[in-house]
Amino acid sequence: MAVNNDVLEKFYKLHQATALITDPYGLETHLVDALKKIVACNAILIFHNKRDAQLLAARNPYNPYQNDAESITIRYNDPLGADILVHRKSVSRVNPQDPVLPLMNAELLSPLNSPDGVLGCIYASRLSPKGFNQEEIKLIEYAAGLMAFALERQGWLDHLQALQTSNHLWQEKYLTFLQSIPFPAFIVDVKNDRIEEASDSAIQLLGGDLDAVLATPFSETDKLHPNADSGILEINGRTYQLKRVKFSFDDEEKDLLLLLPASDGGPAASDHWLYEFGRSCTETVIEDDPQTSLSPLATMIADRFDARFVAILESAPNGALAPLAVFEIKGKAKRPDDSVVADLQNEFMDRALVLGRPVFVDDVTQEPGFSQWLSMAKKLKYQSVAAAPLGFAKKTLGLFVLFCKAPKTWSRESDVVIDVAARLAPLLAEFNIRRGRLEKEASDEFAGKLETLAADADDVADVIVQAALLLQPLVPFDYFSVTFMDEQAGAGRPFVLCRPGLKELLPQGSTWQPVQETGFGWARAAVSTQSENRENENSGLPYSLPVHISLLLMHGEAYIGNFSVARQQDSRFKEEEQSRLREFTPLFSKQLAAKIKALQQQQED
C-alpha cells in the first residue's frame, strides 16, 4: 500500500505521542485529533471492552462532561459486537439501518487486539455514504495497534499500582502492630541475618538511626545479644529481659524480639492500653456497616479518654467531611440521632484537616475560637475536644474526633491521640479499597440490567416500574414520579410508583395498582396536574413530602421530561445516593427514549 510522506510523518508523530502519554483520556483525545487529520471522517470514538457489563462502551461525543453511565454502547449479543470480539476483524458498513451514532451513513470499526483478548475498538464514521477504502482501513488498523499497545501498557501500570497499594497497606498494618507493642521491638530475618523492622522506641534505644540499624547484620548488633547466663541486656544504663517469639511468614522464619524492662516487667498504663488497642485494630475489618465494625474500638477509646462522643469522619470527593461512624457513649456505644451527628460537626475541628495536624481544646469554655459553638457544646454536654487527621500513604482520608465530658490537659495525652489515629487510618484505607471494588461491581451490574429494560419491557409503564424497582435497593424511596414533556407520551400526566400509605397523595382520577411482592403500587394521572399546587410543577410530587430530588430526563439533546424520588421521613439523600441517581438518570432516559420510539414506530406501521 502506497502511503505519502505527509501521512507517514503524522503517524510517526502519533507513535511518539502514544509512547509518552500515560493518561488514558489524554491519549484518546490526542489519537482522535491526530487520526482525523489522516483519515477524513466526521466522528471517531474509542470503545473499551467492559467485560463485567458485557458491552463495548465509548464516551458520548455530544456530551464531553458525561459520567461513565452515559456512554455509547455496543452489546456483546449485537452482531457488530460479535464481529469485533469473536472474529477480531475490521467491519465496514455503508448506509447501516441502525448506525452506532445517529445520522452516520458510513462506519468503520477496527478491533484493539492484544494477546489477552480484544480491548475494544476504534470507530470512525462519516455523514456521507462514502465507504472507507482499503488504504483508509489499513491506516485506522495501524492506529488501532498503537492504541492497543498504549492500553496494555496502562493496564500493566494500573496492575502495578494496585500491587504497590496492597503491599503498602500490608506494610502499614504490619508496622502499626509493631508500633503498638509497649516495649522496644524488632523483627529479625533469621535466615539473612538482618533486622527487618523495628519500632520507634527500639530505634531510639540503638542510637536513633533507622538506616544504620537495618544495615547492620543482626549477629553484629552486640546490644541485642544478652548475657548467656542471666539472659539480661544492659543498654544505655538500663536493664532489659530479652523475649524471643518465633513465627513464619511466606515460609520464612522470623523472630520477634521484645525488650522487657527488667526492673518491674510491666508497661505504663497508657502503653499497655495502646498495646491492647493496637492488637484489636489488627483484628478489625470494617465491613459494610462501619458503625457496627468500629463499635468495639469506639468503646475502648471512650473508656480511655472518658469521651461522651467518638466520631470518625471521612473526606468526601468534594473535600467535605462526612460521618462514617459516630458513637454516643451511654453505657454502650451507639449511633446518636442524625440531628446530634450534624450538631457535632463544626468548622473549628475542620482546622485539623486543613492544617494536617491535630487540634486540641482543653476546655471549650476557655477557648475564644470556639465561642460560636459553645452553646452547642453545652447542649451536648461535652467540655473538651481533640481532632486528629487520619493519614495513610500521604493522603488524608478523614478525621478522628473525641468529645470528652470534662476538661482535659491534652499535652499529657496528645501522643496517645495521635497513635490512635495512626492505628485507625489503615482500617479506613482498607475499607475504601474494598468499598471501591464493591461499588464498581454493583455499578456495572446495575448498568447492565438497565441496558436491557427497553428490549424486555411491554410498554413505557413497564420500563418505569422495573427501573424504579432496580433503583430502590440502592437509593431507598417512598415515592417515585415521572412526568413526560412529549404529548404522545402523555405530557403533564405524572406516572407514580409509591407505597400504599401514600395513595392519598396521588393525583385525582388515579387508580393505584399494586406491584406484586414489592410493597409498591403504580398509578397514572388521568389528566395533567401541572395546574395543581405542587412544589415542582413538572415533578408530579406532592408538596407534603419533606425530602425529594428532581432530575431532568435527557437523551442526547432531546428533553424527555423529568423524574423525582421522595421520602416520607425527613432523611436526607446521602452524597453516594445522589451520585447513584446521577448515574441512573442517563441510563433511564435512554431506555425511555428507546421504548417511546419503538411504540411510535409500531403505531405508524
Side-chain angles (χ1 to χ4, degrees):
M1 180 185 71
V3 180
N4 63 51
N5 290 334
D6 182 51
V7 171
L8 286 175
E9 178 65 21
K10 290 176 180 177
F11 256 99
Y12 175 69
K13 291 181 179 179
L14 180 60
H15 178 75
Q16 285 184 312
T18 57
L20 295 174
I21 300 175
T22 56
D23 172 45
Y25 180 66
L27 177 59
E28 286 188 22
T29 303
H30 186 87
L31 185 137
V32 168
D33 292 342
L35 203 51
K36 282 183 177 180
K37 296 175 183 178
I38 298 172
V39 178
C41 50
N42 296 102
I44 295 179
L45 304 179
I46 308 296
F47 280 85
H48 295 266
N49 189 357
K50 306 290 186 180
R51 292 182 174 87
D52 293 338
Q54 293 196 332
L55 52 80
L56 300 169
R59 295 182 64 85
N60 190 330
Y62 304 121
N63 184 8
Y65 303 106
Q66 65 167 21
N67 56 41
D68 290 342
E70 298 173 279
S71 302
I72 304 293
T73 59
I74 302 172
R75 299 197 64 80
Y76 278 10
N77 55 11
D78 188 301
L80 199 57
D83 281 336
I84 295 166
L85 296 169
V86 178
H87 304 298
R88 295 194 178 195
K89 65 178 183 179
S90 296
V91 179
S92 181
R93 308 192 300 178
V94 177
N95 293 323
Q97 291 184 351
D98 187 17
V100 176
L101 282 181
L103 307 179
M104 295 299 170
N105 292 303
E107 296 181 321
L108 173 64
L109 295 92
S110 183
L112 305 176
N113 292 321
S114 80
D116 297 326
V118 178
L119 304 178
C121 70
I122 292 181
Y123 167 86
S125 60
R126 294 170 176 155
L127 290 168
S128 65
K130 179 186 176 183
F132 290 86
N133 59 40
Q134 287 300 314
E135 179 179 336
E136 292 171 327
I137 292 174
K138 285 297 181 184
L139 290 173
I140 290 178
E141 287 178 344
Y142 290 156
L146 292 176
M147 188 66 191
F149 178 76
L151 289 177
E152 276 193 303
R153 181 183 61 196
Q154 185 61 40
W156 299 332
L157 292 174
D158 291 343
H159 181 64
L160 177 61
Q161 181 64 40
L163 289 176
Q164 290 175 336
T165 302
S166 177
N167 180 64
H168 193 81
L169 182 65
W170 173 86
Q171 187 179 29
E172 283 284 340
K173 293 195 75 171
Y174 188 60
L175 291 176
T176 296
F177 172 73
L178 194 64
Q179 298 289 12
S180 70
I181 298 174
F183 316 106
F186 301 85
I187 299 292
V188 177
D189 182 345
V190 178
K191 181 178 179 181
N192 296 308
D193 189 29
R194 68 186 185 92
I195 297 174
E196 195 171 80
E197 294 291 353
S199 64
D200 290 344
S201 58
I203 294 167
Q204 292 301 319
L205 204 60
L206 297 186
D209 187 342
L210 174 62
D211 292 335
V213 170
L214 300 184
T216 305
F218 174 66
S219 59
E220 297 178 13
T221 309
D222 297 333
K223 290 183 177 181
L224 297 182
H225 295 282
N227 182 288
D229 297 328
S230 63
I232 296 295
L233 293 169
E234 186 169 342
I235 305 176
N236 303 334
R238 298 188 63 182
T239 56
Y240 298 89
Q241 178 76 46
L242 179 68
K243 182 175 179 62
R244 185 186 299 264
V245 179
K246 291 188 175 292
F247 68 100
S248 61
F249 182 80
D250 284 347
D251 297 326
E252 293 185 7
E253 186 182 353
K254 310 278 186 182
D255 278 5
L256 171 63
L257 302 186
L258 302 177
L259 304 187
L260 308 180
S263 54
D264 55 16
S270 62
D271 287 341
H272 179 71
W273 183 87
L274 275 176
Y275 170 73
E276 293 296 332
F277 182 75
R279 188 175 65 176
S280 297
C281 284
T282 60
E283 298 171 352
T284 298
V285 175
I286 304 179
E287 302 290 352
D288 296 339
D289 181 11
Q291 190 77 22
T292 301
S293 301
L294 292 170
S295 180
L297 297 181
T299 301
M300 289 185 69
I301 294 170
D303 290 344
R304 171 67 178 77
F305 295 99
D306 194 26
R308 184 174 296 279
F309 299 97
V310 177
I312 298 174
L313 313 175
E314 62 176 338
S315 298
N318 62 3
L321 284 170
L324 178 71
V326 180
F327 302 90
E328 183 176 7
I329 313 303
K330 289 184 176 179
K332 293 183 178 180
K334 67 173 187 177
R335 184 176 178 87
D337 295 337
D338 289 345
S339 59
V340 174
V341 174
D343 291 341
L344 286 173
Q345 294 182 253
N346 60 63
E347 296 175 4
F348 190 87
M349 291 298 98
D350 291 352
R351 295 181 187 179
L353 207 62
V354 175
L355 298 174
R357 57 179 174 79
V359 172
F360 299 99
V361 181
D362 290 352
D363 187 340
V364 295
T365 63
Q366 304 299 317
E367 173 58 56
F370 204 85
S371 58
Q372 67 184 98
W373 299 286
L374 186 57
S375 60
M376 191 60 66
K378 291 180 178 179
K379 173 186 172 183
L380 298 177
K381 299 180 181 180
Y382 66 83
Q383 297 187 53
S384 181
V385 183
L390 297 172
F392 179 82
K394 299 182 180 179
K395 291 183 180 180
T396 302
L397 306 179
L399 204 61
F400 162 60
V401 190
L402 286 169
F403 302 85
C404 297
K405 302 173 186 177
K408 297 182 75 70
T409 304
W410 286 112
S411 58
R412 300 174 183 172
E413 299 187 278
S414 59
D415 288 345
V416 182
V417 173
I418 294 170
D419 280 343
V420 169
R423 287 157 173 74
L424 291 174
L427 298 179
L428 182 54
E430 189 177 29
F431 173 64
N432 285 342
I433 292 172
R434 186 171 57 257
R435 178 171 55 179
R437 290 171 181 164
L438 293 175
E439 286 179 353
K440 185 179 185 306
E441 291 173 2
S443 178
D444 289 344
E445 182 182 2
F446 180 61
K449 290 179 179 178
L450 274 177
E451 281 285 350
T452 62
L453 280 184
D456 300 336
D458 297 329
D459 51 28
V460 173
D462 197 17
V463 172
I464 295 174
V465 170
Q466 296 304 320
L469 293 177
L470 280 175
L471 178 67
Q472 211 278 332
L474 303 173
V475 184
F477 59 79
D478 301 307
Y479 198 97
F480 182 101
S481 174
V482 175
T483 304
F484 294 104
M485 294 296 102
D486 187 272
E487 290 294 338
Q488 292 183 342
R493 294 169 51 204
F495 182 103
V496 176
L497 184 82
C498 68
R499 295 193 182 278
L502 300 179
K503 289 191 291 186
E504 66 273 11
L505 300 181
L506 292 172
Q508 291 184 357
S510 304
T511 302
W512 187 82
Q513 302 178 47
V515 181
Q516 296 299 322
E517 300 180 358
T518 65
F520 284 89
W522 69 274
R524 183 73 186 272
V527 296
S528 173
T529 61
Q530 291 184 355
S531 60
E532 293 185 19
N533 181 22
R534 294 178 181 275
E535 192 173 74
N536 182 335
E537 267 198 353
N538 295 327
S539 71
L541 274 176
Y543 64 87
S544 59
L545 292 173
V547 179
H548 78 273
I549 292 180
S550 296
L551 293 161
L552 297 179
L553 294 170
M554 302 287 297
H555 182 57
E557 297 181 356
Y559 176 34
I560 301 173
N562 69 336
F563 88 97
S564 304
V565 290
R567 288 172 176 164
Q568 194 172 12
Q569 302 299 322
D570 190 5
S571 177
R572 297 178 182 179
F573 289 94
K574 300 176 183 177
E575 184 163 344
E576 58 267 26
E577 293 176 326
Q578 296 180 39
S579 176
R580 183 69 74 183
L581 285 172
R582 289 192 291 270
E583 174 189 348
F584 169 80
T585 304
L587 293 170
F588 184 39
S589 301
K590 180 179 178 181
Q591 297 305 305
L592 286 174
K595 181 51 68 175
I596 291 171
K597 182 179 178 181
L599 294 175
Q600 289 173 344
Q601 288 177 345
Q602 289 178 10
Q603 292 175 358
E604 292 172 0
D605 295 342

